[in-house]
Amino acid sequence: MENNVQTPALELCNVSVGYGERTVLHDLNFSVAQGEIFAVMGGSGCGKSTLLKHIIGIHPLKSGEVKIFGRTISGDNALSEAEIARTFGVTYQGGALLGSLTLAENVALVLEEHTTLSRREIEAVVMEKLAWVNLEKFAGFYPSEISGGMKKRAGLARALALEPPLLFFDEPSAGLDPVSSAELDRLILKMRNEFKRTVVIVTHELDSVFTIADRIIMLDKNTGSIAVEGDPRELQKNSSVPWVRDFLNRDGLAYKL
């Protein structure tokens, strides 16, 4: 019988992360299916962004293994630097755009570093990606000349430049007004639905999670582990962990943990 089970887009096997002698999170096990929108949640200081930095290879794991489409970032069968650039893109909290470059130049930089496209071809891809996030009219603007929401969208255009099948978002809605946040949510859903991208989001924004996430994990900073995993709408109603229900129902207690 033919096996139609897809390799997970992301898989963590007994992963522990931290800095120096300090372990922040330990023995994490979860996987993200291809085409899924998956959110990593938890209260402030639980290790959400720390986990992301270790997953994408900014910091080395203390133990365990991270697989992206079945390949690791380090060790045997590891992705090369060029393969990493084409396999996943990352958008950071503030956009992480280079202030000395225009939006078009920020997006073009990725293509210049990792492709052999001609200047004309690069310009065409840049304008296509900026148009997709509704920023084609701002191609010549510098990051200091645009709003926070526009910076986030420009960061998304850059992350999409090489057409990676997996996108990571670090607090995509942080600092945005409700309208800008909703617009970004629509873009993320459109990206998944039209282009079959897999999306992993680190966030504490409940409105976004209930709008776009298929599944979540909740990190517990007291235990340094995963408290629950599942559909956020189901967990909101029926989680067996009281503080998770409080968090997902906006109870103030959750934010004191």
Side-chain angles (χ1 to χ4, degrees):
M1 181 180 294
E2 185 178 353
N3 185 357
N4 293 320
V5 177
Q6 285 187 314
T7 301
L10 175 67
E11 186 175 11
L12 270 66
C13 306
N14 299 316
V15 165
S16 295
V17 302
Y19 307 104
E21 297 299 316
R22 181 183 174 225
T23 297
V24 177
L25 297 164
H26 63 86
D27 302 318
L28 304 184
N29 291 277
F30 66 87
S31 63
V32 179
Q34 293 187 35
E36 188 172 30
I37 297 179
F38 185 91
V40 178
M41 301 192 69
S44 299
C46 70
K48 300 186 297 293
S49 292
T50 292
L51 177 59
L52 176 60
K53 290 173 183 175
H54 284 77
I55 287 175
I56 65 178
I58 293 177
H59 299 297
L61 303 175
K62 294 184 78 67
S63 63
E65 188 174 52
V66 172
K67 294 181 181 180
I68 296 178
F69 296 101
R71 302 277 301 279
T72 60
I73 292 181
S74 61
D76 296 337
N77 194 35
L79 291 161
S80 67
E81 183 177 345
E83 287 175 320
I84 287 173
R86 292 183 176 278
T87 302
F88 66 83
V90 184
T91 69
Y92 299 94
Q93 289 189 33
L97 301 171
L98 296 177
S100 60
L101 301 181
T102 65
L103 301 192
E105 289 168 342
N106 267 280
V107 178
L109 190 61
V110 179
L111 298 163
E112 292 166 353
E113 290 182 349
H114 298 290
T115 75
T116 57
L117 295 175
S118 67
R119 169 53 53 186
R120 179 173 295 181
E121 290 170 326
I122 288 176
E123 289 175 354
V125 173
V126 167
M127 293 311 296
E128 175 190 352
K129 300 309 177 190
L130 287 175
W132 195 82
V133 297
N134 302 315
L135 287 176
E136 67 273 27
K137 295 180 180 178
F138 298 88
F141 282 57
Y142 289 89
S144 61
E145 298 174 324
I146 60 175
S147 69
M150 295 166 75
K151 289 177 185 176
K152 301 265 189 175
R153 286 187 277 134
L156 175 55
R158 183 181 58 189
L160 288 170
L162 295 175
E163 301 285 354
L166 173 61
L167 273 294
F168 292 99
F169 289 81
D170 186 11
E171 299 284 3
S173 299
L176 298 185
D177 62 79
V179 173
S180 297
S181 180
E183 182 177 7
L184 188 58
D185 286 344
R186 285 193 294 271
L187 281 175
I188 292 172
L189 279 172
K190 182 180 178 183
M191 179 178 62
R192 190 275 298 275
N193 295 338
E194 291 189 8
F195 304 115
K196 310 305 179 186
R197 299 289 189 267
T198 304
V199 179
V200 177
I201 302 173
V202 170
T203 185
H204 64 272
E205 298 287 346
L206 295 182
D207 288 344
S208 290
V209 166
F210 289 125
T211 299
I212 66 175
D214 299 307
R215 260 185 331 123
I216 67 171
I217 57 171
M218 292 283 293
L219 300 177
D220 186 341
K221 71 178 181 182
N222 293 319
T223 64
S225 61
I226 297 172
V228 296
E229 176 180 345
D231 183 323
R233 292 151 287 267
E234 180 66 23
L235 292 172
Q236 183 189 41
K237 297 176 183 177
N238 300 316
S239 175
S240 60
V241 182
W243 73 261
V244 170
R245 291 197 310 274
D246 290 339
F247 190 107
L248 295 176
N249 285 284
R250 297 184 178 276
D251 189 297
L253 171 63
Y255 297 93
K256 298 176 183 177
L257 295 176

